[in-house]
């Protein structure tokens, strides 16, 4: 029994001695027993996204040139557009997304058709545009960047050009104005230059290899082709257009979060079209015969732009 007690005493003394040795060496070990999940000196994460948003005024001088069944339809307008725009730059991937939407608050249009009796003026109709681009800047230095983009372009070129009367199947009369919409693909190149953090230059040049035109061409009048025929519908037009667009802007930054820019922009589209119209039997309005006419369309617009933009 005495030997057992002596052994237990020796064991307890040895354990206490070893614990004191470990405690004494704890503060001088090279590696802590438990490492923190993150370095204690890690800097806060820096956001790589930059945002822009603002307003633009665009004085757009544009028009259209349509040929239907060998007859010419023309319109030229000078319109005042209000536009909103936005942009997101991602510096971590050198990519960006930008978009805009504009509407003509005032239209001053002069048009002429085969049945208009010469040139006529109008302030009616609707003209609008919008689009979005996704871009990549493989060359992106401190003050200079180059790259390319792919995007979508929407146009509504529906300045008033008169509205021909047509006979409906019910026997009543009706008429509709022009309503033309374009949905196009943009493939382009972009360049940016920043000068002393005060001035900047931006240029976007885009090819539009394909744009779908569709809508109503209410200015067409079947009587201009054959007065003995009675028009039986609002003519429908469709086409495949192509062309290009250009925008160049120079900016001044009175403050790091505010920019004033001015420049010019323009686009041009052309291509073949088809117009469908009907001739209706006045004796029995339920009877009609449809026709398709080949033609061409040109759409263009250009003018100065002023921009006020905030960055954050």
């Amino acid at each position: 029994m005495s030997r057992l007690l002596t052994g237990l005493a020796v064991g307890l003394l040895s354990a206490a001695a070893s614990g004191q040795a470990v405690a004494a060496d704890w503060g001088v070990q090279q590696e802590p027993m438990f490492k923190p999940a993150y370095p204690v000196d890690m800097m806060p994460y820096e956001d790589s996204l930059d945002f822009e948003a603002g307003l633009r005024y665009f004085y757009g001088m544009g028009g259209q040139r349509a040929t239907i069944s060998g007859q010419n339809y023309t319109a030229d307008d000078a319109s005042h557009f209000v536009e909103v725009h936005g942009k997101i730059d991602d510096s971590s991937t050198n990519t960006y997304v930008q978009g805009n939407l504009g509407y003509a608050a005032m239209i001053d249009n002069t048009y002429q058709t085969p049945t208009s009796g010469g040139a006529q003026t109008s302030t009616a109709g609707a003209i609008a545009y919008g689009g979005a681009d996704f871009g990549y800047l493989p060359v992106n230095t401190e003050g200079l960047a180059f790259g390319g983009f792919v995007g979508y372009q929407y146009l509504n070129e529906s300045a008033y050009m008169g509205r021909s009367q047509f006979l409906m199947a019910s026997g009543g009369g009706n008429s509709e104005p022009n309503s033309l919409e374009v949905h196009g693909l943009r493939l382009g190149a972009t360049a940016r230059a920043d000068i002393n953090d005060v001035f900047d230059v931006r240029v976007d040049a885009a090819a539009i290899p394909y744009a779908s035109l569709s809508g109503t061409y209410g200015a067409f009048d079947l009587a201009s082709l054959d007065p003995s025929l009675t028009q039986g519908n609002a003519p429908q037009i469709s086409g495949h257009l192509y062309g290009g667009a250009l925008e160049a802007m120079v900016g001044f930054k009175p403050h790091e979060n505010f920019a004033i820019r001015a420049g010019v922009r323009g686009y041009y589209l052309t291509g073949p079209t088809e117009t469908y119209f009907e001739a209706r039997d006045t004796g029995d309005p339920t009877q009609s015969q449809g026709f398709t006419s080949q033609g061409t369309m040109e759409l263009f617009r250009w003018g100065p732009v002023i921009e006020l933009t905030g960055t954050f």
Side-chain angles (χ1 to χ4, degrees), residues 51-53 202 253 255-259 261 309-312:
F51 298 85
E52 288 188 6
R202 300 182 178 186
K253 299 178 181 178
H255 186 272
E256 63 178 354
N257 293 326
F258 182 73
R261 297 188 178 96
T309 294
T311 61
F312 53 95

Side-chain angles (χ1 to χ4, degrees), residues 107-138:
I107 300 173
D108 184 8
N109 181 42
T110 300
Y111 67 90
Q112 185 167 346
T113 72
T115 57
S116 66
Q120 305 292 328
T121 61
S122 172
T123 59
I127 306 176
Y129 58 83
D133 297 327
F134 173 77
Y136 173 55
L137 302 170

Side-chain angles (χ1 to χ4, degrees), residues 128-130 152-157 180-183 267 269 299:
Y129 58 83
Y152 162 76
Q153 181 70 61
Y154 168 79
L155 302 172
N156 186 332
E157 290 286 351
L180 304 179
E181 292 189 337
V182 175
H183 302 271
Y267 67 81
L269 294 171
L299 297 173

Side-chain angles (χ1 to χ4, degrees), residues 238-263:
S238 61
H240 298 156
L241 309 182
Y242 57 90
L246 177 68
E247 180 176 285
M249 303 286 287
V250 177
F252 168 64
K253 299 178 181 178
H255 186 272
E256 63 178 354
N257 293 326
F258 182 73
I260 303 171
R261 297 188 178 96

